[in-house]
Amino acid sequence: MFGLEKLGLLGLFIGCFLAATVLPFSSDALYIAILAATDRPVACLVAGTLGNWLGSVLTYWIGWIGKWEWIQKWFKVKEETLVRQKAGIDRYGVWLALLAWVPIIGDVIAIALGFYKVRPVWTMVLLLVGKFLRFLVWTAGMQLI
């Protein structure tokens, strides 16, 4: 966990933030380790949620500044593919933000929501809800053990 667990809640915040960007890192293991080592579950819930949410917000805005021309040029994606993907995003819209916590695809969802300019305010709200519920489940589960 790159020594982040030694920083306590600050390390949790940083780790959860980084995990919600395009870096291949899991916040779950870090969250569980710090939650198990502390008697402050609410503080863990807040730090983990806010860090992970802000990382997804950054990822969303990175997607927002992306341009179709860049994707076509750098990743050799055809315009038809982008149009088809946009139709998929438009089908579920802002509700996809609730799934941005899912490992691997969550980052792709956040960047796609930004890239296809899905409503920013509601996206941010639902990103926060999804992240909070994820860490709430971990927190509640650890309290039962």
Side-chain angles (χ1 to χ4, degrees):
M1 289 176 267
F2 311 109
L4 290 170
E5 68 281 0
K6 296 175 186 168
L7 298 175
L9 293 174
L10 176 62
L12 177 61
F13 178 86
I14 293 168
C16 287
F17 178 87
L18 293 174
T21 64
V22 293
L23 296 176
F25 180 83
S26 172
S27 58
D28 294 320
L30 177 64
Y31 188 80
I32 292 167
I34 292 178
L35 186 60
T38 186
D39 60 348
R40 300 176 59 199
V42 173
C44 285
L45 180 61
V46 170
T49 299
L50 289 179
N52 214 237
W53 174 65
L54 289 172
S56 286
V57 168
L58 174 65
T59 302
Y60 172 89
W61 289 114
I62 288 171
W64 185 278
I65 63 172
K67 304 229 181 295
W68 283 40
E69 300 82 31
W70 298 349
I71 302 298
Q72 290 172 323
K73 178 181 176 182
W74 295 336
F75 298 102
K76 307 295 185 212
V77 176
K78 295 179 180 178
E79 185 169 352
E80 298 82 34
T81 302
L82 293 172
V83 170
R84 202 170 45 251
Q85 289 172 349
K86 181 168 179 6
I89 294 290
D90 288 345
R91 180 174 180 197
Y92 299 105
V94 72
W95 296 105
L96 285 169
L98 288 171
L99 298 176
W101 62 268
V102 176
I104 301 169
I105 67 165
D107 301 337
V108 175
I109 289 170
I111 208 161
L113 289 170
F115 182 74
Y116 292 114
K117 311 287 192 265
V118 175
R119 299 181 296 176
V121 173
W122 280 108
T123 298
M124 300 307 137
V125 168
L126 292 176
L127 283 171
L128 181 61
V129 169
K131 302 294 185 166
F132 173 78
L133 291 175
R134 167 205 197 171
F135 289 118
L136 182 63
V137 167
W138 278 121
T139 305
M142 289 295 290
Q143 298 306 304
L144 295 174
I145 294 175

